[in-house]
């Protein structure tokens, strides 16, 4: 499938980015010969790592018994059944059912009050990492089961050992991650609001507020954020979304999300193409009608944050001049992300000599990335005419049909150009004719 995407993208002249998903440890019920119905006040025994005795239910995750303590809350069947841990005796976990329901093979188990000591990177994930940086050459990696910043740093170290530096998207799906969110954001390259498991780990009525908070914190740090799970769930079989689903997608856009992600709708749905068309229509109309400006009310730049102040000013200039676009020359993508977090009406064009940077910027709101070789000298000590670089980038965008001759563009760059994250120059230029 990865190869097919690459082949089709090349044939269309597009640069498609592919996000790999490391699934992490799966805490699930094992094989049950038939569904098991449990009632409130019933006692149930889970067993880990051995053949269950009659009446016991198997669990796939070997570290479960060592992680639980009496009194802790435990959710089975993806949150439909609630229980309390009565006791843990070796591999046997005795539960007192609070909310009954039906248990079937392979259904997930959530531990909202339990911090797992195990790494979220399993042996299977290690094999996936090898393929991601090797034969598949993926562009980004999403890390599941993140509980703390050190989980992200562990993946970063594994990538570094393999000579890779893929951007890491931390999936926020465990309650414990909310307690270390600031550090997780600093350690990662972006967030995914994974509302499926998160909506089981925390009370469902808190999910909307948490979603808005996560998106705001990512916007403030100029890091891309994906909102995922049940965006258009009814369209697995229906030809149109519910009104509530359409509003949900629009609200995610208004919150400031960079991307909305479909899951079952496109994985097993009846008409994946139509679902994509529908979600694009909702997002497009929402953005056209919302006006210009930072939806997340970004705080002002501090006196110590010169690059951010420069990007803030560039967005203001583009608005006041009614410019036709914002152009940034960027090595690592930071300048483009800083411009994008304002959600300006003018399109953002990010030009980079680094192909990995261009692919990663496909995830960022409103950015059209373009990889240009030879735009800047390889040697940082070599003379660098920034005006010539701007004109060459604008000419390339004109030839590709993104801009027209004579249009006015606000250009942003950082000098010296090889320094990451140093935005310190603004210029207003016209798109050249030649």
């Amino acid at each position: 499938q990865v190869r097919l995407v690459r082949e089709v993208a090349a044939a269309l002249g597009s640069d498609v980015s592919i996000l790999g998903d490391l699934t992490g440890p799966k805490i699930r019920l094992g094989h049950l010969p038939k569904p098991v119905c449990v009632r409130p006040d019933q006692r149930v025994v889970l067993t880990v790592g051995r053949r269950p005795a009659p009446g016991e239910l198997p669990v796939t995750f070997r570290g479960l018994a060592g992680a639980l303590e009496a009194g802790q809350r435990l959710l089975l069947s993806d949150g439909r059944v609630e229980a309390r841990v009565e006791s843990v005796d070796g591999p046997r976990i005795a539960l007192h059912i609070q909310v009954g329901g039906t248990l079937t093979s392979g259904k997930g188990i959530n531990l909202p009050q339990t911090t797992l000591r195990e790494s979220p990177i399993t042996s299977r994930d290690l094999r996936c990492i090898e393929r991601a940086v090797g034969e598949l050459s993926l562009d980004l990696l999403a890390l599941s089961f993140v509980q703390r910043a050190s989980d992200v740093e562990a993946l970063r170290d594994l990538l570094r050992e393999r000579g890779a530096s893929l951007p890491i998207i931390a999936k926020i799906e465990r309650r414990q991650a909310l307690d270390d969110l600031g550090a997780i954001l600093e350690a990662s390259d972006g967030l995914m609001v994974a509302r499926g498991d998160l909506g089981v780990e925390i009370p469902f009525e808190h999910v909307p507020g948490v979603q808005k908070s996560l998106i705001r914190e990512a916007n403030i740090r100029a890091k891309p954020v994906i909102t995922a799970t049940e965006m258009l769930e009814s369209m697995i079989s229906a030809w149109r979304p519910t009104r509530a689903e359409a509003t949900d997608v629009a609200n995610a856009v208004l919150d400031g999300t960079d991307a909305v992600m479909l899951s079952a709708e496109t994985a097993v749905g009846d008409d994946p193409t139509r679902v994509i068309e529908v979600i694009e229509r909702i997002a497009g109309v929402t953005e056209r009608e919302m006006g210009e400006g930072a939806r997340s009310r970004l705080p002002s730049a501090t006196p110590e944050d010169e690059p951010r102040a420069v990007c803030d000013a560039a967005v203001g200039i583009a608005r006041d001049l009614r410019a036709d676009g914002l152009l940034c020359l960027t090595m690592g993508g930071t300048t483009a992300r800083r411009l994008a977090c304002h959600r300006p009406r003018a399109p953002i064009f990010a030009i980079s000599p680094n192909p990995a940077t261009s692919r990663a910027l496909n995830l960022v709101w409103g950015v059209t990335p373009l990889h240009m070789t030879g735009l800047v000298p390889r040697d940082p000590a070599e003379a660098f005419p920034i005006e010539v670089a701007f004109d060459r980038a604008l000419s390339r965008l004109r030839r590709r049909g993104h801009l027209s001759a004579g249009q006015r563009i606000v250009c942003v760059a950082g000098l010296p150009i090889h320094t990451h994250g140093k935005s310190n120059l603004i210029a207003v230029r016209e798109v050249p004719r030649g």
Side-chain angles (χ1 to χ4, degrees):
Q1 291 177 333
V2 170
R3 294 187 186 93
L4 178 61
V5 169
R6 299 293 193 206
E7 290 170 2
V8 173
L12 295 174
S14 299
D15 195 6
V16 176
S17 300
I18 301 178
L19 170 69
D21 187 2
L22 301 176
T23 57
K26 292 296 184 184
I27 308 177
R28 299 184 182 277
L29 289 169
H31 174 70
L32 303 178
K34 61 181 181 179
V36 176
C37 294
V38 294
R39 302 178 304 277
D41 287 332
Q42 184 178 340
R43 266 64 178 177
V44 172
V45 174
L46 305 181
T47 186
V48 181
R50 68 185 181 92
R51 188 181 184 88
E56 295 180 345
L57 306 179
V59 177
T60 60
F61 184 59
R62 291 181 176 273
L64 183 62
L68 292 173
E69 297 178 358
Q72 289 183 325
R73 184 164 162 255
L74 186 143
L75 301 167
L76 302 96
S77 194
D78 298 325
R80 295 179 180 85
V81 174
E82 182 175 339
R84 293 278 175 183
V85 178
E86 281 198 336
S87 63
V88 180
D89 182 12
R92 299 175 74 255
I93 305 163
L95 303 180
H96 180 206
I97 302 298
Q98 311 289 307
V99 178
T102 301
L103 306 177
T104 56
S105 300
K107 288 296 184 180
I109 299 174
N110 291 83
L111 317 171
Q113 295 178 310
T114 306
T115 300
L116 297 176
R117 293 184 291 272
E118 287 81 359
S119 168
I121 304 169
T122 65
S123 57
R124 181 179 183 275
D125 291 330
L126 289 174
R127 295 191 295 272
C128 291
I129 292 169
E130 295 287 352
R131 293 194 69 201
V133 303
E135 61 178 299
L136 298 179
S137 296
L138 300 186
D139 304 302
L140 310 101
L141 277 181
L143 179 61
S144 302
F145 228 75
V146 173
Q147 298 182 107
R148 55 187 82 83
S150 59
D151 295 333
V152 180
E153 291 160 358
L155 176 56
R156 185 90 61 195
D157 290 341
L158 287 169
L159 291 171
R160 194 177 294 116
E161 290 169 5
R162 290 156 177 79
S165 58
L166 274 67
I168 298 172
I169 306 301
K171 294 170 66 175
I172 306 302
E173 54 192 350
R174 294 228 67 207
R175 185 192 59 78
Q176 288 77 7
L178 302 178
D179 298 329
D180 199 29
L181 181 62
I184 290 171
L185 266 167
E186 292 302 320
S188 64
D189 301 292
L191 290 186
M192 182 186 296
V193 187
R195 305 183 304 178
D197 281 319
L198 186 61
V200 176
E201 294 266 325
I202 66 175
F204 59 82
E205 65 269 23
H206 292 290
V207 173
V210 169
Q211 172 178 311
K212 292 178 183 295
S213 177
L214 291 173
I215 292 173
R216 172 179 164 77
E217 292 302 316
N219 288 168
I220 289 171
R221 292 166 175 81
K223 302 219 175 165
V225 55
I226 304 166
T227 304
T229 317
E230 295 182 349
M231 301 300 291
L232 299 175
E233 187 82 358
S234 71
M235 290 194 72
I236 293 174
S237 57
W239 74 279
R240 64 184 297 169
T242 67
R243 277 62 170 178
E245 288 169 337
T247 302
D248 179 42
V249 173
N251 275 327
V253 174
L254 293 171
D255 287 343
T257 195
D258 289 81
V260 286
M261 192 173 94
L262 299 165
S263 302
E265 301 95 328
T266 48
V268 297
D270 291 346
D271 194 347
T273 302
R274 177 166 176 77
V275 181
I276 293 170
E277 291 171 349
V278 166
I279 203 168
E280 189 277 334
R281 282 169 53 193
I282 296 168
V285 169
T286 302
E287 290 180 346
R288 286 193 297 273
E289 294 181 353
M290 73 184 179
E292 187 180 39
R295 293 191 297 271
S296 54
R297 299 182 182 177
L298 302 174
S300 300
T302 63
E304 297 77 24
D305 195 350
E306 177 183 301
R308 179 169 171 180
V310 168
C311 290
D312 292 357
V315 170
I317 292 169
R319 180 185 62 247
D320 295 342
L321 297 180
R322 297 183 182 177
D324 298 295
L326 286 148
L327 168 71
C328 66
L329 305 184
T330 181
M331 295 296 290
T334 305
T335 301
R337 293 193 299 270
R338 285 182 176 135
L339 294 172
C341 67
H342 288 275
R343 303 303 192 258
R345 186 176 296 278
I348 302 166
F349 302 100
I351 313 298
S352 179
N354 184 352
T357 296
S358 296
R359 289 193 296 271
L361 286 173
N362 277 323
L363 182 60
V364 180
W365 182 96
V367 173
T368 299
L370 182 63
H371 170 230
M372 284 186 66
T373 57
L375 184 66
V376 299
R378 291 179 179 273
D379 184 358
E382 188 177 336
F384 176 63
I386 187 68
E387 297 85 359
V388 173
F390 282 146
D391 283 344
R392 288 175 60 193
L394 290 171
S395 295
R396 174 73 69 86
L397 289 167
R398 178 183 58 77
R399 290 194 298 272
R400 290 201 169 196
H402 295 295
L403 297 172
S404 300
Q407 286 187 314
R408 191 160 46 172
I409 306 297
V410 177
C411 303
V412 186
L415 297 176
I417 194 66
H418 289 276
T419 305
H420 286 255
K422 192 171 180 62
S423 310
N424 57 13
L425 182 148
I426 303 174
V428 180
R429 304 187 69 83
E430 287 190 357
V431 178
R433 298 185 182 280

